[in-house]
Amino acid sequence: MALRPALIGEAAALSAALVWAYASVAYKPFIERYGALRVNVMRTLYASLAAVVPSVLLGLERPAALWAMASGAVSLGAGDTMYLASIGLVGVSVAVPVSYTFIILGELMAIAVGERLTPLLALGGVLVLAGTALVSRGPRGRARPAGIALALAAAVAWALGWVMIRVADVGGLSPVSSAFLRAATAGLILAALGFARGERLGEAFRSTVTTRLPLVAAADLAGGSALFALALGVAGVDRSMVVIGSMPLFAQAIAWASGSERPSLVEVAGATLIVVAVAMAFW
């Protein structure tokens, strides 16, 4: 019996959410050792190397490539660096739910380019505020409010990047090529910044190339992005975003199961509100 296309798309979205949740937990020890900037340089480098050959075969010569590059600079360069720094400060259980408010923020920003404001989207915005307030009142959020601020700043950058990548998708750029251009652009900018700041990038490369970081980065930035693009194409935006929006709870569960964190009830409740907000906005 053949699977329904929508079911395949939802399975792809769920797989992307699980990949991104695991990657967020897996990055934490590297962030603690190397810092957010060096980790982001390494992950964009490894993801670019993984995607370069199929991207060239699929084609890069499209006007939409410029939008993908701009999205990479904003969302992967600025947004992901702040996101990783937030994980280093307040942990996955707080950083992921707060930063995933970008889904609602992106929809609100899209109103400027013609999207319609619905009552459920407006209510979703209210629930996102409530969920963020709850998470920030947890033990980690109260102890390090800078981590909350970084996660919120990452959400804004991701939302801007999300609007840009929609334009690139409409322009016909393949998901793999888009992932490569985004990672490569962010990596070049971050590497230049790292060299200017005197970061020991060569040392970081030599000490991480034989670890799990290259595989995690490739799965995160290349594999997860391709799965997400497949979900959007097969299941549509609404179904895909509802499934992807559950990622904060997956991240908290993986962090708890791996023993790296013990999310508090307040943090879980806040993450749940944010997940519900996304589901309502796209229902």
Side-chain angles (χ1 to χ4, degrees):
M1 182 178 178
L3 293 175
R4 293 184 295 110
L7 185 60
I8 295 173
E10 290 162 5
L14 179 61
S15 299
L18 289 170
V19 166
W20 289 337
Y22 170 75
S24 296
V25 176
Y27 289 139
K28 188 176 180 181
F30 293 101
I31 297 167
E32 292 170 346
R33 179 173 179 182
Y34 300 105
L37 178 60
R38 283 202 286 175
V39 169
N40 209 12
V41 172
M42 292 302 105
R43 66 195 282 269
T44 52
L45 168 64
Y46 294 136
S48 299
L49 291 174
V52 61
V53 172
S55 297
V56 171
L57 293 175
L58 290 168
L60 298 170
E61 298 296 327
R62 290 180 181 272
L66 295 176
W67 285 105
M69 294 167 70
S71 172
V74 173
S75 59
L76 298 187
D80 279 21
T81 301
M82 292 186 287
Y83 173 63
L84 294 171
S86 177
I87 289 176
L89 286 173
V90 293
V92 170
S93 300
V94 173
V96 174
V98 174
S99 61
Y100 259 64
T101 60
F102 91 91
I103 297 176
I104 297 294
L105 291 176
E107 287 304 301
L108 293 174
M109 288 180 182
I111 294 171
V113 293
E115 293 287 341
R116 187 170 58 90
L117 176 63
T118 66
L120 286 179
L121 177 58
L123 181 57
V126 173
L127 288 180
V128 156
L129 291 175
T132 302
L134 264 182
V135 171
S136 66
R137 295 305 299 164
R140 278 175 280 257
R142 287 200 309 270
R144 292 183 168 179
I148 299 290
L150 283 168
L152 286 171
V156 173
W158 286 355
L160 287 169
W162 166 237
V163 174
M164 292 175 186
I165 206 63
R166 280 172 147 177
V167 178
D169 289 341
V170 171
L173 191 66
S174 78
V176 176
S177 299
S178 178
F180 167 71
L181 289 170
R182 294 175 73 230
T185 302
L188 288 173
I189 294 171
L190 293 171
L193 178 61
F195 281 121
R197 291 180 48 177
E199 299 280 353
R200 293 173 294 182
L201 300 179
E203 175 188 312
F205 175 76
R206 287 189 297 273
S207 56
T208 60
V209 70
T210 57
T211 67
R212 62 178 173 173
L213 183 59
L215 289 177
V216 173
D220 174 17
L221 297 181
S225 297
L227 285 167
F228 181 45
L230 173 63
L232 291 175
V234 177
V237 173
D238 292 351
R239 288 174 179 266
S240 300
M241 295 311 291
V242 169
V243 178
I244 289 292
S246 62
M247 190 276 221
L249 291 177
F250 290 143
Q252 288 183 339
I254 292 172
W256 178 85
S258 66
S260 64
E261 293 179 14
R262 286 291 182 267
S264 69
L265 289 177
V266 171
E267 290 164 353
V268 174
T272 302
L273 273 181
I274 291 168
V275 169
V276 170
V278 173
M280 287 182 60
F282 289 92
W283 199 256

